[in-house]
Amino acid sequence: MKITFVLPSVNLTGGIRVVAIYAQELTRLGHSVCVVSPPPRSLPLRQKLISWLEWRGSSSGSVALRSHLDGTGVDHRVLDCWRPITDRDVPDADVVVATWWETAEWVAALSPRKGAKVYFVQHHEIFSYLPSDRSRDTYRLPMHKIVVARWLQNLMQTEYGDRFADLVPNSVDHNQFFAAARSKQTSPTVGLMYATAPFKGVDLSLFAIDKVRKDFPDLRIVSFGAEVPRRQLALPEGAKFLHSPPQDYIRNIYAQCDVWLTASRSEGFNLPAMEAMACRTPVVATRTGWPEEAVKTGWNGVLVDCEDIEELARGVSWILSQPDPLWREISANAYATVEGSSWTASAKLFEEALQRAYLRAQKGEIGGRIS
């Protein structure tokens, strides 16, 4: 098949990474894959000044020009300036895949010859900083949906009346994320992903860590992320932070932690939690995204209600306080949770979903190519 992915401006976020993986895997399966995206929007001068002040004049602005597509060999076509993607930007294909709410609007407007129309849903993008009505309307467009988690599949059916959405769960690359069986760290260590988006709940994680430090004053904190920590959401004094570390180094971050903490208010999937488990690190997580399906309290980590700082702190403290033999058992269970996952298997499911989309387009059930 000829497959086109339509992306927003690319960056180092997890959603872009997942698309990059599928683009590579589908190419290996013999398909012709093209990715189209606009460059980043140009900020007004006043906004540039505000951003400069918030980031203390760091060079983080260049990060937006980097993405997980770099060096993959994928045919990635970037527009000359930011604007909606139209027919002239997209090759004729069998399938064209929208990857977030704004790109869904663009894909919906493309001519049928650009391919059967697919919506790759990695989150329910209804947030205060987005035009919620427009975003919500995209889930009602005549497009075949592929979702990354069961809760999204259920939501597409119950809220939007779509019973045809295909579930294709994310996976983990065991050649990239792995660790040998180990004991607890000499100093108790907690890790977390740093992000400023409110739904990621980093503020909740930091409040919980502050409580944990009362029982573990020598607690080490390790973090990484694509954003430089802001003053308004500063990491605790003494925390170790790595800004956009090399992908092959991230497993070392996970593996130096006794527990991985994620306090998201909302998640489409939460790939770092899965990667941490692949590196034998127990996870304390809120009930959202993939952790709600995979984390079992007392077995491979601790699952708590969203916004519950006390329980987050209690969960981290419980894992840190386990005797080494019991911690090693929880660590082994975390690894066992994701041991069987495979991007190759997920890509095969993705391929099958695209084939179903093509057939649905032929029947006129969704928008797109009709031979």
Side-chain angles (χ1 to χ4, degrees):
M1 287 191 295
K2 293 181 179 179
I3 303 164
T4 304
F5 287 92
V6 176
L7 286 172
S9 301
V10 298
N11 51 36
L12 290 169
T13 59
I16 301 296
R17 181 167 164 238
V18 170
V19 172
I21 290 170
Y22 281 131
Q24 293 176 86
E25 291 292 333
L26 290 167
T27 299
R28 292 190 187 103
L29 288 170
H31 302 287
S32 176
V33 180
C34 173
V35 177
V36 182
S37 69
R41 294 176 189 257
S42 294
L43 293 176
L45 181 60
R46 181 173 181 275
Q47 187 60 45
K48 287 181 180 178
L49 178 60
I50 292 173
S51 296
W52 188 90
L53 292 171
E54 285 181 343
W55 297 91
R56 296 180 179 178
S58 76
S59 60
S60 60
S62 63
V63 173
L65 301 177
R66 299 169 53 201
S67 85
H68 292 291
L69 286 159
D70 297 344
T72 61
V74 172
D75 179 9
H76 180 204
R77 307 178 188 183
V78 182
L79 275 55
D80 57 344
C81 65
W82 193 97
R83 57 178 171 78
I85 289 172
T86 63
D87 277 359
R88 62 178 168 151
D89 308 308
V90 180
D92 292 355
D94 298 305
V95 180
V96 58
V97 185
T99 54
W100 102 302
W101 75 270
E102 194 169 27
T103 66
E105 293 181 336
W106 301 344
V107 167
L110 295 176
S111 67
R113 68 179 183 274
K114 301 305 174 181
K117 297 181 179 182
V118 175
Y119 193 174
F120 183 33
V121 180
Q122 299 194 64
H123 207 318
H124 189 220
E125 291 154 351
I126 309 299
F127 302 118
S128 60
Y129 54 86
L130 296 177
S132 296
D133 290 342
R134 285 175 59 192
S135 180
R136 199 179 300 277
D137 286 344
T138 64
Y139 299 111
R140 300 188 178 94
L141 291 169
M143 304 169 76
H144 184 76
K145 299 183 189 70
I146 301 174
V147 301
V148 298
R150 193 167 304 283
W151 78 271
L152 284 168
Q153 187 181 45
N154 293 337
L155 183 71
M156 292 303 118
Q157 180 169 352
T158 58
E159 187 163 336
Y160 299 101
D162 188 342
R163 58 188 178 86
F164 296 101
D166 277 312
L167 172 60
V168 180
N170 288 338
S171 188
V172 62
D173 183 351
H174 292 284
N175 292 318
Q176 180 179 355
F177 297 102
F178 60 87
R182 63 185 187 273
S183 296
K184 292 167 63 177
Q185 303 296 312
T186 304
S187 297
T189 305
V190 60
L192 71 154
M193 172 75 79
Y194 185 89
T196 58
F199 75 86
K200 290 293 185 180
V202 170
D203 57 329
L204 303 175
S205 291
L206 297 180
F207 284 132
I209 286 172
D210 187 56
K211 292 179 177 295
V212 172
R213 286 181 114 177
K214 294 175 182 176
D215 294 326
F216 297 88
D218 59 340
L219 182 69
R220 290 180 63 240
I221 301 154
V222 180
S223 180
F224 73 96
E227 301 176 72
V228 175
R230 299 189 182 190
R231 286 174 291 177
Q232 300 94 324
L233 192 63
L235 290 169
E237 185 177 353
K240 179 181 179 181
F241 176 78
L242 293 94
H243 180 217
S244 298
Q247 288 295 304
D248 288 340
Y249 183 77
I250 294 175
R251 65 173 174 266
N252 298 313
I253 301 173
Y254 292 132
Q256 64 182 280
C257 298
D258 297 310
V259 57
W260 189 258
L261 175 60
T262 172
S264 298
R265 295 177 168 90
S266 172
E267 277 287 353
F269 190 83
N270 198 330
L271 201 52
M274 179 179 256
E275 294 168 351
M277 284 191 172
C279 296
R280 301 178 184 271
T281 303
V283 170
V284 172
T286 45
R287 298 180 192 278
T288 179
W290 176 80
E292 185 172 14
E293 302 173 17
V295 176
K296 296 178 175 59
T297 297
W299 188 73
N300 57 7
V302 176
L303 190 66
V304 308
D305 292 336
C306 293
E307 305 274 357
D308 195 332
I309 296 170
E310 292 291 340
E311 285 302 309
L312 285 166
R314 193 170 290 118
V316 171
S317 294
W318 180 81
I319 290 177
L320 293 178
S321 64
Q322 295 304 300
D324 191 63
L326 291 181
W327 182 90
R328 288 172 66 95
E329 186 176 323
I330 298 169
S331 170
N333 293 339
Y335 175 74
T337 302
V338 300
E339 184 178 13
S341 64
S342 159
W343 278 116
T344 300
S346 291
K348 189 64 180 175
L349 292 175
F350 203 98
E351 177 190 46
E352 293 169 359
L354 294 182
Q355 291 168 341
R356 275 190 287 276
Y358 183 84
L359 293 175
R360 291 189 69 198
Q362 301 305 96
K363 297 175 183 178
E365 296 176 359
I366 60 171
R369 177 177 286 278
I370 299 177
S371 300

